[in-house]
Amino acid sequence: MLRTPFYDPLKTYEDNYEHGPFGDFADDSEVAIGEPAFDFLGEKITYPLGIPAGPLLNGKYVTAAFKKGFDVPVYKTVRATEFPCHPFPNVLSVKVDGDLTLEKAMKPLTADNIYSEPLSITNSFGVPSRPVPTWQSDATKAVKTARKGQVMVMSFMGTVKENQTADEFVADFAKAAEFAAATKAKILEANLSCPNIGNEGLVCYNLDMTRKVVSAIRGAIGALPLILKVGYYKDDESIEELAGIAKDYAQAICAINTVAAPIVDKDGNQALPGKIRLKSGVCGHAIKWAGLDMTRRLAKARAKVDSAFAVVGCGGLTVPEDFKEFRDAGADLVMTATGAMWNPYLAKEIRERYPNA
Ligand SMILES: Cc1cc2nc3c(=O)[nH]c(=O)nc-3n(C[C@H](O)[C@H](O)[C@H](O)COP(=O)(O)O)c2cc1C
């Protein structure tokens, strides 16, 4: 059942940042979580479930997620410099008939403000970031609101700038990692599913660049556990190469981010205003096939490269049964963004349905 979303799509990002979270997610009541029974990257947790980078805009959201029984909330991706948000709107409901296959994602999808099940949405923020001291002090406080058996992850990324060299981009990414580590978060996440230097692709699809970035991050953060957040890969060779990079420098891979598609309104016009916003990331139910597929293939690649990194399954979990599918696919930890946004009781429902995970 869809409830009041904790991020209100009818309000601006600023409004949500200042006044959210909304609905029952913000009511301060605590879901009982029991004793730690699982290990995630050296941290003891009570249940292998979290909210991935994005919907938890600041410490207030992270604290609410802890209270609602999501043991591994990720603080929304931050940057080494202040960065603006894309213009409103930033979230819309997307109508998809069944799975959003890569073929279907070539054609326009219609979006509006009517949210219904099975729920799929598009989100388009451009990864805004407050000034470094602002997010650092906020995140430092949020880390401490974890209950026993819970842990916050801090997500960060590099910023593409005009006339920047590849080395400068890598250095900026490492700087963001260093700033993120200073919050005392026990686990960090590199958002590699973000724009690459020089072309419009994503860092994670350029594996030479990915290796350079991840190696520089490792140099900047010492021994802190690191998750690599990536998109969907079509070919197994790339997944194996990524697994090799994780083996050398990281402790987990989280997949997937979103599947991009052209988004239009009911009249067929671009739905999100702005030059680079015809295509936007789709998440929620329609991409579950891709999240599950990547989970399975990452688990296989891990065995092939003889590594021990954790697989974090993400994408399309909106009802409790989806959690089981991700676990059966080989996810060590499962994350839900869209599902949690519209159901503050999702962690409670999953824990009740699958007490042993
Ligand atoms: C509102 C919103 C904001 C997001 N922002 C980020 C972000 O800042 N960094 C990131 O790595 N992923 C971001 N994502 C992607 C999610 O982490 C996740 O990978 C994606 O939504 C798929 O999961 P889902 O189907 O459960 O929503 C965002 C997603 C949503 C819904």
Side-chain angles (χ1 to χ4, degrees):
M1 190 178 92
L2 301 188
R3 299 171 186 267
T4 304
F6 67 69
Y7 180 100
D8 186 347
L10 299 176
K11 292 185 165 69
T12 63
Y13 167 79
E14 285 303 320
D15 240 4
N16 277 283
Y17 188 98
E18 291 301 330
H19 305 295
F22 299 101
D24 289 359
F25 196 70
D27 72 5
D28 268 346
S29 66
E30 288 191 359
V31 169
I33 57 171
E35 285 300 310
F38 297 85
D39 180 277
F40 180 61
L41 311 190
E43 295 300 318
K44 295 272 172 269
I45 57 172
T46 74
Y47 203 86
L49 179 66
I51 297 182
L56 306 176
L57 306 189
N58 56 38
K60 285 184 292 173
Y61 286 77
V62 168
T63 303
F66 280 139
K67 287 188 175 164
K68 288 295 172 278
F70 295 93
D71 276 359
V72 190
V74 186
Y75 194 102
K76 185 163 169 58
T77 307
V78 293
R79 300 170 180 265
T81 37
E82 189 175 3
F83 205 82
C85 186
H86 282 335
F88 180 85
N90 305 98
V91 173
L92 289 171
S93 171
V94 177
K95 313 298 164 205
V96 187
D97 191 14
D99 290 345
L100 179 60
T101 59
L102 300 184
E103 218 172 43
K104 266 192 217 166
M106 311 279 283
K107 297 189 197 112
L109 299 175
T110 308
D112 58 26
N113 274 314
I114 302 159
Y115 296 86
S116 57
E117 290 175 294
L119 181 64
S120 297
I121 65 169
T122 186
N123 81 81
S124 170
F125 292 84
V127 196
S129 189
R130 291 284 200 265
V132 175
T134 306
W135 64 251
Q136 273 185 327
S137 76
D138 181 57
T140 305
K141 282 186 218 138
V143 167
K144 296 181 195 141
T145 63
R147 288 186 272 170
K148 184 179 162 200
Q150 300 186 316
V151 62
M152 188 192 96
V153 176
M154 192 73 205
S155 168
F156 61 90
M157 65 181 255
T159 299
V160 174
K161 293 170 192 158
E162 229 176 297
N163 300 323
Q164 183 186 42
T165 65
D167 285 349
E168 284 165 350
F169 176 69
V170 171
D172 184 81
F173 220 129
K175 194 42 120 189
E178 191 188 317
F179 289 157
T183 64
K184 302 261 191 319
K186 292 183 182 138
I187 301 173
L188 301 184
E189 179 174 280
N191 179 4
L192 300 168
S193 35
C194 61
N196 186 10
I197 174 87
N199 61 41
E200 290 302 308
L202 305 182
V203 174
C204 63
Y205 295 144
N206 178 338
L207 288 158
D208 290 338
M209 176 57 85
T210 294
R211 182 169 278 281
K212 278 189 200 138
V213 164
V214 177
S215 150
I217 292 170
R218 179 48 70 206
I221 64 170
L224 264 183
L226 176 68
I227 306 171
L228 309 181
K229 171 81 177 278
V230 298
Y232 182 81
Y233 290 79
K234 288 185 214 163
D235 63 301
D236 287 343
E237 293 72 33
S238 296
I239 296 185
E240 279 160 31
E241 199 176 333
L242 176 74
I245 296 170
K247 181 179 178 175
D248 291 345
Y249 301 110
Q251 283 64 42
I253 297 177
C254 176
I256 63 167
N257 202 310
T258 52
V259 173
I263 308 291
V264 297
D265 62 20
K266 63 176 178 13
D267 301 319
N269 300 317
Q270 181 174 329
L272 298 159
K275 249 191 196 165
I276 51 155
R277 290 177 87 205
L278 172 61
K279 273 191 152 195
S280 176
V282 175
C283 44
H285 178 76
I287 66 161
K288 188 174 79 172
W289 71 272
L292 287 171
D293 185 49
M294 276 296 289
T295 300
R296 283 188 205 105
R297 290 159 70 211
L298 279 170
K300 252 194 216 160
R302 170 176 60 190
K304 195 149 180 192
V305 303
D306 192 23
S307 180
F309 63 79
V311 174
V312 181
C314 179
L317 189 175
T318 59
V319 293
E321 293 71 27
D322 296 335
F323 173 81
K324 176 86 166 65
E325 281 193 65
F326 271 97
R327 290 288 278 169
D328 289 348
D332 298 293
L333 182 87
V334 188
M335 297 259 189
T336 166
T338 306
M341 284 166 81
W342 267 265
N343 181 4
Y345 302 109
L346 192 51
K348 184 171 184 285
E349 289 169 11
I350 292 172
R351 284 167 181 266
E352 284 169 359
R353 181 78 191 260
Y354 305 107
N356 301 315

